[in-house]
Amino acid sequence: MKIAELPVVSAPAPTTVDVAGLNTFLDDRVEGEVRLDRLSRALYSTDASVYQIVPLGVVMPRSGEDVATVLEACRVFGVPLTARGGGTSQAGQSIGPGLVLDFSKHLNRVLEINAAERWARVQPGCVLDDLNHELKPFGLLFAPDISTSDRATVGGMIANNSSGTHSIIHGKTIDHVLELRVLLADGTHLHARPLNAAEVDAKCTQQDREGDVCRAVRRLAKGHAAEIERRYPKVLRRVGGYNLDRFTGESFNLADLFVGSEGTLGVTLEAKVRLVELPKAKALLVVPFPGLLEALAATPIILTHAPAAVEVMDRYVLDATKLNAEAARLRDFLHGDPEAILIVEFYGDRPEDLPPRLDALEADLRRRGLGGHSHRAADAAAQARVWKLRRLALGLSMAEKGDAKALSFVEDTAVAPERLRDYIAEFLDLIARHGTRAGVYAHASVGCLHVRPVIDLKTEDGVRRFASIASAVADLVLKYGGALSGEHGDGLVRSPFQERMFGPALYGAFREVKKTFDPGNLLNPGKIVDAPPLTSSLRYGPAYVTPDVPTTFDFSADGGLTRAAELCAGVGECRKRRGGTMCPSFQATRDEQHSTRGRANVLRLALTGQLGLSGLTDPAVKAALDLCLECKACKTECPTNVDMARLKAEFLHQYQRKNGVPWRNRLFGSVASLGEWTLPVARLVTSAQRTRAGRWLGEKLFGIDRRRLSPPLARRTLVRQSPAAWLEPPADGRRSVLLFPDTFARFYEPSLGLAAGEVLAALGVAPFLGFPADDTLCCGRPLISNGLLDKAVGHAERNVERLFLWAASGKPIIACEPSCVLTIKDDYPALLRGDLRKKAEVVATACLTFEEYVDSLLAKGEISPFRAGPRRILVQGHCHQRSLVGMGPTLRLLRRIPGAEVIDLDAGCCGMAGSFGYEREHYEISRLVGEQSLFPALRREPADTAVVAPGFSCRLQIEHFTGRKATHPAELLRTLLTAPRPLDEVTP
């Protein structure tokens, strides 16, 4: 079957809609963004669930009036509407066949904070972490602390009735929503708030839609009170169905019904939420267990000690954290290799109150013979590492290679904690009888565990197994008196079991609720009631074909290029805007198109020929990948390790083979050769490039933004300025290191290479540059970034041949520029094949950044070889460095400077990204990326604060937009050597 003939797996959009008329209607009336193009439809066809439904289009409203207009259009044209926040739903709530309303881009503000009365008003697209960031100065927070807090929106939390880690003390979202302003399907604006008996009576006399819904809710709740008492699960974590149980008593607040309704009853325009105090003191105890069931059996005992949270992770999930570089660096608190761990947190009024409580719990567990050697985390930094690993585990448990994946479809059940051990034992036995395995993870404190069976949905057997397990788990939940959905809602994956869960009488009441609020069934149809079959609209199914695509990079570890794109599970970690680096362009634009998830989605659909996207030569795919800065952060920060930098390079290579290579790509890709060619006239070239005429010409000919100043070329290269001894390998057996002469240190900043060599020499290491003076070969990073993979392969082949003997002898290879040495380490093995691949792997193991190597030299030393220098040092890490090796070595090295306070800015990407920031069409995005965190942080600092940035591009970007001069660690350390020699003493 040809790619172009592959079927679209998802449910079709309404076929009778006048799409052109709809588009005109919206364009004429909506202030926000209206997108009915195929690229946008592709981007919003999935969320974090196993489903895919291609919408008619997407609207990003800027106001409540826009939302009302979109609802009017849906009524006029008969189009369903699905409201969406971060798109992190694991049950399929945020996808639908009509229009999708994306609130996250524009309607995302905190409108008001009343600290005295402890409430806030927010728009539905406000991200939870953004809200809590604004609340922190008041000592307050919005309590439901879900693992997706850095991208999930408050509107989405309201729709799902989300809870989180500390639900044992804070409950669910419904316990914190005070009032809602909602738009009903017919256009009615409704203010949902607490009403007293007289107010309820008055509302029920109204002859309008508000009166209709108030009468219906009161009647249905009172009339079914006995059935509600009998059928609603008696567990804290029940979020399925409609919340009629909140209306059987005297209280009446329609906000309680909208919470958890998944956008099926109305569209939230604004929320007033209750706030709680931040905990004054916290402490963690991580307890390992030899088995999962023992850990679950210990949970009721732990609960008698009144913890704030008890989280469980089993061996399957813990092993997944070994496969992700960022997560692996966080595992240092684990003792041995436990089968399961419990993370127990305590809150207190004072830090000194908590150790006795930890002591008491440990003593209780020891007395009962439960658990092993526990780990305490008393300070905030240590606790953050534990919680970060726990959050990353959510996606990592889904990071299976190949077609069989750990799927989120029965992972949201909840039972009473005292029944949890027996329930999970039966659950895991059920999974085993179906011939598969699963990981266990989540909230032991409230009996809500996420169990994700591994299934291949691309096969008929896999789909049958999927349906069979879902049905069997529904029966098991009923047996234990639990809830089928304890956190993530019903959506497409649990709604088919609603009648089984609640019985025919309550299911009938649910259907009447839906019909009363939304008679035309326009709002997110098929969720909660009248759901399609469980296996409808699967993202993957037996008809899905994964094409094999020949590539230059080797994607075999992922099962090929298409499966590398399919690694994206949709959890949306790339949509975060605080902490980490991924994804820089999304942080600047808030546009799904410019998230790693969006790009992976489009690439997958193009490779499989869906939505008319035509593989690796489609301009729409190029547009989706255009703002990828190739920071490599997704390779480690993405839970499923989607390497978008490599995917983009491969796409550009194949796209340009058909459409030609632009001159600008040739120019930027050949920066090393240009440096050599222009060396004899370096001063003249630099001067010409920096004139107004030169910059105008560069913009006209090559699209290089005239506002950028090109870095000045050195008059002599690093190799030609270095001591003769550095050009020959030491013959006297001294410790030596190959200092790879990267393009930037070689042609633009030779003083940096000399400084690095000086530091090495002062530490008793002989630097060896390794290449003759006339050798212009670079690592190939600029070639890779510009899609010139054939040339990059040639560079890799020659460099590997030249570096192999040195690496095979066990000697290290370093470079001043992180992206250079990490290209050799990370990309060469994937660019080469056969014996050269094996040699490349040997060379890769020898590669270290300058900071890694010097830090390792000093690791056992007790005396710092540096004298005091700057009292305060800010560090901006290079994206590749931060992603692939971490910032630990750089920070440890700089902290050897006596009296220095070294601060990791953790400000994400600087925005330059090699040549990206020089390109005219990318200049503004480059600036916006830096403005997210980096530039403001630097502007707040006094002039005497030192700024260190290992990356050449980072130093250029910082100086261009802030006027501050950033230095490389080698330059700073060279000036602080206890007995430094002037550079002119070693320069011939």
Side-chain angles (χ1 to χ4, degrees), residues 133-377:
H133 178 75
E134 294 197 31
L135 293 173
K136 189 173 182 180
F138 301 99
L140 300 171
L141 82 156
F142 182 56
D145 53 342
I146 56 179
S147 62
T148 54
S149 63
D150 53 8
R151 66 267 196 197
T153 63
V154 175
M157 295 174 67
I158 290 169
N160 273 13
N161 195 8
S162 301
S163 45
T165 301
H166 298 93
S167 59
I168 190 173
I169 58 173
H170 290 313
K172 305 187 290 287
T173 295
I174 196 170
D175 302 307
H176 302 273
V177 173
L178 301 174
E179 301 177 13
L180 294 176
R181 293 192 180 274
V182 179
L183 195 62
L184 301 185
D186 68 344
T188 297
H189 285 264
L190 192 150
H191 182 194
R193 59 182 179 84
L195 302 176
N196 59 36
E199 289 173 320
V200 175
D201 289 341
K203 291 287 185 185
C204 288
T205 63
Q206 293 179 193
Q207 298 305 307
D208 55 13
R209 180 51 55 84
E210 185 177 15
D212 292 343
V213 300
C214 286
R215 285 190 295 273
V217 170
R218 185 166 68 171
R219 174 176 54 81
L220 290 170
K222 300 295 185 183
H224 292 83
E227 190 72 354
I228 288 171
E229 174 63 24
R230 187 171 74 88
R231 296 299 298 244
Y232 273 58
K234 305 300 186 292
V235 295
L236 175 64
R237 298 290 286 270
R238 190 278 308 165
V239 301
Y242 291 124
N243 295 321
L244 288 176
D245 57 324
R246 305 285 285 207
F247 298 87
T248 57
E250 297 304 315
S251 64
F252 194 100
N253 183 352
L254 284 179
D256 290 343
L257 195 65
F258 288 114
V259 173
S261 66
E262 304 185 359
T264 61
L265 304 181
V267 180
T268 298
L269 300 177
E270 182 186 305
K272 181 180 178 181
V273 297
R274 183 172 68 89
L275 309 175
V276 301
E277 285 189 356
L278 284 165
K280 295 180 176 63
K282 297 186 288 186
L284 286 184
L285 191 71
V286 181
V287 187
F289 290 87
L292 171 65
L293 296 182
E294 181 181 330
L296 298 178
T299 299
I301 297 165
I302 294 172
L303 291 176
T304 65
H305 292 260
V310 184
E311 299 290 295
V312 65
M313 295 166 65
D314 78 345
R315 178 63 173 270
Y316 179 92
V317 175
L318 289 170
D319 282 351
T321 65
K322 298 176 182 178
L323 305 178
N324 176 281
E326 184 180 20
R329 293 193 288 267
L330 299 171
R331 288 176 49 93
D332 53 4
F333 66 87
L334 295 175
H335 294 279
D337 203 12
E339 288 293 319
I341 63 169
L342 289 179
I343 304 170
V344 186
E345 184 169 45
F346 289 94
Y347 285 173
D349 291 330
R350 302 177 304 167
E352 57 267 29
D353 295 338
L354 296 176
R357 297 178 65 186
L358 300 183
D359 294 340
L361 175 56
E362 286 187 298
D364 194 1
L365 292 175
R366 278 197 306 270
R367 187 167 57 252
R368 300 170 187 269
L370 295 171
H373 179 69
S374 57
H375 168 80
R376 294 189 181 194

Side-chain angles (χ1 to χ4, degrees), residues 583-650:
C583 176
S585 50
F586 176 81
Q587 291 176 9
T589 66
R590 286 184 179 260
D591 198 315
E592 177 74 12
Q593 175 177 334
H594 304 307
S595 68
T596 303
R597 178 177 71 179
R599 298 181 185 112
N601 236 339
V602 170
L603 189 57
R604 174 183 64 84
L605 290 166
L607 288 167
T608 54
Q610 300 184 56
L611 279 177
L613 295 167
S614 52
L616 296 178
T617 59
D618 196 310
V621 182
K622 186 174 185 296
L625 299 181
D626 181 54
L627 296 191
C628 171
L629 279 71
E630 301 178 61
C631 64
K632 285 187 179 283
C634 51
K635 182 164 183 171
T636 51
E637 293 181 28
C638 169
T640 54
N641 303 127
V642 174
D643 189 349
M644 188 50 61
R646 188 167 293 173
L647 289 169
K648 179 184 179 182
E650 184 67 46

Side-chain angles (χ1 to χ4, degrees), residues 406-665:
L407 301 181
S408 172
F409 70 106
V410 290
E411 45 62 74
D412 197 25
T413 61
V415 300
E418 61 272 17
R419 309 193 73 183
L420 187 57
R421 188 260 178 215
D422 293 340
Y423 168 72
I424 290 299
E426 282 201 55
F427 199 137
L428 294 179
D429 181 62
L430 183 159
I431 298 297
R433 290 200 308 272
H434 280 82
T436 187
R437 64 193 190 282
V440 177
Y441 154 98
H443 318 292
S445 58
V446 287
C448 179
L449 294 195
H450 302 321
V451 185
R452 295 181 175 174
V454 177
I455 295 176
D456 180 4
L457 285 178
K458 295 180 181 178
T459 66
E460 291 183 2
D461 177 69
V463 174
R464 281 194 297 267
R465 193 178 303 182
F466 170 83
S468 178
I469 290 174
S471 180
V473 167
D475 290 336
L476 184 64
V477 168
L478 285 171
K479 173 183 174 181
Y480 277 87
L484 195 57
S485 177
E487 182 168 39
H488 296 150
D490 295 320
L492 295 167
V493 77
R494 280 175 282 273
S495 295
F497 301 102
Q498 289 290 77
E499 188 168 3
R500 191 187 307 185
M501 184 77 223
F502 290 97
L506 286 179
Y507 185 68
F510 291 167
R511 296 184 73 193
E512 190 171 347
V513 167
K514 169 66 172 174
K515 186 174 182 180
T516 303
F517 278 79
D518 180 23
N521 198 27
L522 292 178
L523 300 179
N524 214 12
K527 320 295 164 56
I528 301 184
V529 296
D530 298 322
L534 179 70
T535 57
S536 298
S537 303
L538 291 172
R539 188 186 306 191
Y540 306 110
Y544 185 97
V545 177
T546 304
D548 292 323
V549 180
T551 58
T552 301
F553 269 116
D554 182 5
F555 290 94
S556 60
D558 296 324
L561 179 65
T562 307
R563 289 183 176 86
E566 290 173 357
L567 282 173
C568 177
V571 296
E573 181 79 15
C574 48
R575 288 176 57 93
K576 64 187 179 185
R577 299 185 69 246
R578 298 184 185 276
T581 301
M582 179 180 72
C583 176
S585 50
F586 176 81
Q587 291 176 9
T589 66
R590 286 184 179 260
D591 198 315
E592 177 74 12
Q593 175 177 334
H594 304 307
S595 68
T596 303
R597 178 177 71 179
R599 298 181 185 112
N601 236 339
V602 170
L603 189 57
R604 174 183 64 84
L605 290 166
L607 288 167
T608 54
Q610 300 184 56
L611 279 177
L613 295 167
S614 52
L616 296 178
T617 59
D618 196 310
V621 182
K622 186 174 185 296
L625 299 181
D626 181 54
L627 296 191
C628 171
L629 279 71
E630 301 178 61
C631 64
K632 285 187 179 283
C634 51
K635 182 164 183 171
T636 51
E637 293 181 28
C638 169
T640 54
N641 303 127
V642 174
D643 189 349
M644 188 50 61
R646 188 167 293 173
L647 289 169
K648 179 184 179 182
E650 184 67 46
F651 171 82
L652 278 180
H653 173 61
Q654 301 214 25
Y655 183 88
Q656 290 171 173
R657 283 200 304 192
K658 177 181 179 181
N659 298 289
V661 181
W663 277 106
R664 188 174 66 188
N665 291 62

